[in-house]
Structure formats: C-alpha cells, structure tokens
Amino acid sequence: MHTFYEFFAGGGMARAGLGSDWQCLFANDISATKGNSYSANWGSDHLAVKDIYDVQARELPGSATMAWGSFPCQDLSLAGDGAGLEGERSGAFWGFWKLMCDLHAEGRKPKMVVLENVFGALTSRDGKDFELIAEAIASQGFLVGAMLIDAIHFLPQSRPRLFIVGVDASLKLPESSHTNTPNPAWHPAAMVRAHNRLTGQAKAAWRWWSVPQQDKPLLTLDRLIEADPQSVKWHSEEETRQLIEMMAPLHRRKVLAAQASKSLRVGTIYKRTRSGVQRAEVRFDGIAGCLRTPGGGSSRQTIMVVHGPNIKSRLISTREAARLMGLPDHYKLPEKYNEAYHLLGDGVVVPVVEHLSHHLLLPIVKLNQPVSHQRNRPSRAA
C-alpha cells in the first residue's frame, strides 16, 4: 500500500477518492469543525487540527509516497480580493511548501505532490501566482505539470478545478502519463498561456500530464435528489412564487418550458445580483451549479422540481450536496446545515481524485517499485 500526507484535509474527500490503494499517515486542517467531520469518518489518531504554519516536519511520520494539498482558494478565486499567494488564506500554500522543503532536507521528500485549487489559480495576479508555484515545485527536484478537470465529466455538477502535479525527476514515467503537446481536454488556452510564461527551471521541468477521459455512464441531477430530505424543508407556495418573481424573463421561460414538457424536471437555482437587482437564475440541463461555501456573497443552491403545473422549491439538502461531491450515503455529515454545506463546498470531488489516482499517480508509483528478488532456490546435489 502507498502512503500519503493530506493537508488542508477538510472532511477527507481526497482520502475518500484515493481509496484503499493509499494509506494516510498524517492529516491536517486548521478548522476544528472540519476536523470533527474528518475524525467522525476516518478517526483522529493521525489528525492534527492547527494552522499549517504550526506543523513541524518531525510530526510527519515516515517517508510518504505523496503529499496532497487542497490549499485555500479564496485569494485566488476570480471572485476573490486578488491578493493571491500574498493573501492570508491562499498564502497558506507557503506553509505547506516549507514542510515539503524541510522533508527534502531530511531526505524524506515525497515522491509526488498534488495541489488542488480553483481555475483562478492559473490567472491570479496576471499569472504570477501560478509561476511561483511551478518554480517552487521545480526548485525541489520535481517535474511539474497541471490539468484542469471539471467534475461535470463524472457527476452532475459544474465544478472545474486545477490539479498541479509534481513528480520526483528521478522517477520513470509511463508513456501514458504525459503527452508532447497540450491536450485540449485537460489543458485549456489559459494553461497554455501559463506554461508559456514559465522560464528557466520551471519551464524545463514542465510536463503535459494526461489521463484518459471518463467513459462511465453519467448521472443526471434527478437521480441524486432525495424524495424525503431530512436537512431541509420544502418552501411554501408563496416562497416558491416569490422565487419565480425574482427571475428575469429568460429564466421564467425556462420554467414554462419545463412545465410544457409534462415530465418531471429538476432544476437548480442560484441568486445573483445583476445591475443592482437580485435575480434567481435557474438551469434545467440536469447539471447542478458549482457548490460554493455560503459566504462572501455566494448563495446556497436551491432545487426546483417541476412536474406539469406543479412547482416546488427548497434548498438543496446536505445529503444531495454530498452526492454531488461523490461521497457515499454512509459518509457522516455535520448536523448543522451551514457546517455541512461549507464542508462540502470547500471539498474536492471524490471521483475526480479516484480517476487521477488510477490513471496517473498509481501508474507512476507502480512503474518505480523495486523489482522483487526471486527466492534463492536450493542447489541440487551433484
């Protein structure tokens, strides 16, 4: 079994995606609330709940195969304040990277590092933050590359995320792990531009990591909806009517079209401010909008169920949100709605991690495993 450290662990969704092929040696998150969820699902023996800057290399046991870090996105997000890696929250990356450098100095550098963040990490501060990350990874003897993977290829949620992967330069790479040129499926134009801005060691260390596209049948939103949710209640008729009145004509027509279909249609709604007016915007394409943490101007996602003339609405339930992140129904969620929604909105999509592990991380690890020696056979008597 291969080993890993999980930083900015949240509720352990990266761990859920890595599955039984990987053993977690150490996990860390600054949030006591998230730590409680992690402990409830994975135990607390190897969990340290504290600021990453307070974690010391001596606390990390052994020599892990990989370090995973889903570091905070707020200062890198397109909707953020633009502080980037100089911000208080996203700047926590440097606390993580100091640990990687300390492990390297002790001869315990992980063979791989994986960083997960929002698409804005490619472009924040005109691409300077991505350059700094790539330079930091390359400076410690890693090859470096990135992929933009949208959860929509695995689950009915639109959730593009950036995965930056560093691999020790001494390791052999399977031919399937990378391509000579960017693959449009994982390397959009913004990433090509980010790559072109790199110089020196980071440019030389760059690899176009690649994985096959997901080929399993896709679920639609209606398959994940709870018939009798426990964490939320249905809106009153008046509340649903007010929601429709908040819609611009385009979105009201979407509701009318859903009614005209006469089949059961499930849509999702976000409230957004347009030209100073709060609007309710609905989609009925079988895909949920990106789950976001309830704060910083983001609203919680609303479900609208239309069946002919009948229209009902309510907040998305915490279990439905968990299903949109690929978590099994036995995963234990916080009892308080906002705590559960925040935990999930900050998380990484489980099947995406699973796909990345199966098609990139594990093939690299397995190719570089020592060849087991055959047992010495006893010599036959003359």
Side-chain angles (χ1 to χ4, degrees), residues 4-8 14 18 22 65-71 93 96-97 100 110-117 133 137 142-147 149 162-167 209 348 352-353 356-357 360-362 364:
F4 72 104
Y5 307 130
E6 186 176 11
F7 295 94
F8 315 103
L18 291 171
W22 296 86
T65 309
M66 177 180 66
W68 183 286
S70 295
F71 64 103
F93 163 78
F96 164 80
W97 198 247
M100 297 302 102
K111 295 297 184 183
M112 297 184 292
V113 293
V114 181
L115 300 170
E116 180 261 346
N117 213 283
I133 292 171
I137 294 174
F142 290 101
L143 303 174
V144 61
M147 290 181 287
I149 304 179
L162 180 69
F163 294 84
I164 304 172
V165 179
V167 177
W209 303 128
V348 58
V352 175
V353 178
L356 192 65
S357 173
L360 180 64
L361 307 179
L362 286 175
I364 293 174

Side-chain angles (χ1 to χ4, degrees), residues 71 85 93-94 96-97 113 115 121-122 127-146 162-167 191 193-207 209:
F71 64 103
L85 293 183
F93 163 78
W94 296 116
F96 164 80
W97 198 247
V113 293
L115 300 170
L122 270 179
K128 182 62 177 176
D129 291 318
F130 184 78
E131 291 177 51
L132 289 172
I133 292 171
E135 288 169 1
I137 294 174
S139 73
Q140 294 300 304
F142 290 101
L143 303 174
V144 61
L162 180 69
F163 294 84
I164 304 172
V165 179
V167 177
M191 189 177 296
R193 289 192 293 270
H195 160 263
N196 290 342
R197 284 191 294 264
L198 298 179
T199 59
Q201 192 175 19
K203 189 68 167 282
W206 183 267
R207 296 295 184 275
W209 303 128

Side-chain angles (χ1 to χ4, degrees), residues 167-237:
V167 177
D168 191 300
S170 68
L171 298 185
K172 294 178 289 185
L173 298 178
E175 290 185 8
S176 62
S177 68
H178 59 291
T179 55
N180 294 327
T181 57
N183 179 346
W186 315 122
H187 309 128
M191 189 177 296
V192 177
R193 289 192 293 270
H195 160 263
N196 290 342
R197 284 191 294 264
L198 298 179
T199 59
Q201 192 175 19
K203 189 68 167 282
W206 183 267
R207 296 295 184 275
W208 294 108
W209 303 128
S210 189
V211 294
Q213 296 190 48
Q214 202 274 134
D215 58 359
K216 297 178 183 177
L218 295 178
L219 292 172
T220 50
L221 183 61
D222 58 290
R223 299 286 301 275
L224 303 184
I225 296 303
E226 288 188 289
D228 184 24
Q230 301 300 305
S231 61
V232 292
K233 295 181 179 179
W234 291 99
H235 291 157
S236 66
E237 290 185 8

Side-chain angles (χ1 to χ4, degrees), residues 238-253:
E238 176 62 24
E239 288 173 313
T240 299
R241 184 162 50 250
Q242 289 175 356
L243 199 60
I244 295 173
E245 289 173 354
M246 291 175 62
M247 294 180 181
L250 170 65
H251 292 273
R252 291 189 191 182
R253 287 196 294 271

Side-chain angles (χ1 to χ4, degrees), residues 58-122:
R58 63 176 178 270
E59 299 177 57
L60 308 182
S63 297
T65 309
M66 177 180 66
W68 183 286
S70 295
F71 64 103
C73 68
Q74 291 90 338
D75 301 309
L76 297 166
S77 169
L78 298 178
D81 57 11
L85 293 183
E86 293 181 353
E88 180 179 355
R89 292 168 294 185
S90 296
F93 163 78
W94 296 116
F96 164 80
W97 198 247
K98 181 181 183 300
L99 282 171
M100 297 302 102
C101 294
D102 290 346
L103 289 174
H104 191 182
E106 296 177 6
R108 297 194 291 135
K109 182 182 78 171
K111 295 297 184 183
M112 297 184 292
V113 293
V114 181
L115 300 170
E116 180 261 346
N117 213 283
V118 295
F119 176 76
L122 270 179

Side-chain angles (χ1 to χ4, degrees), residues 305-321:
V305 179
V306 178
H307 196 185
N310 300 313
I311 304 176
K312 298 195 298 181
S313 64
R314 59 169 171 80
L315 287 177
I316 191 171
S317 75
T318 56
R319 182 54 61 191
E320 289 162 348

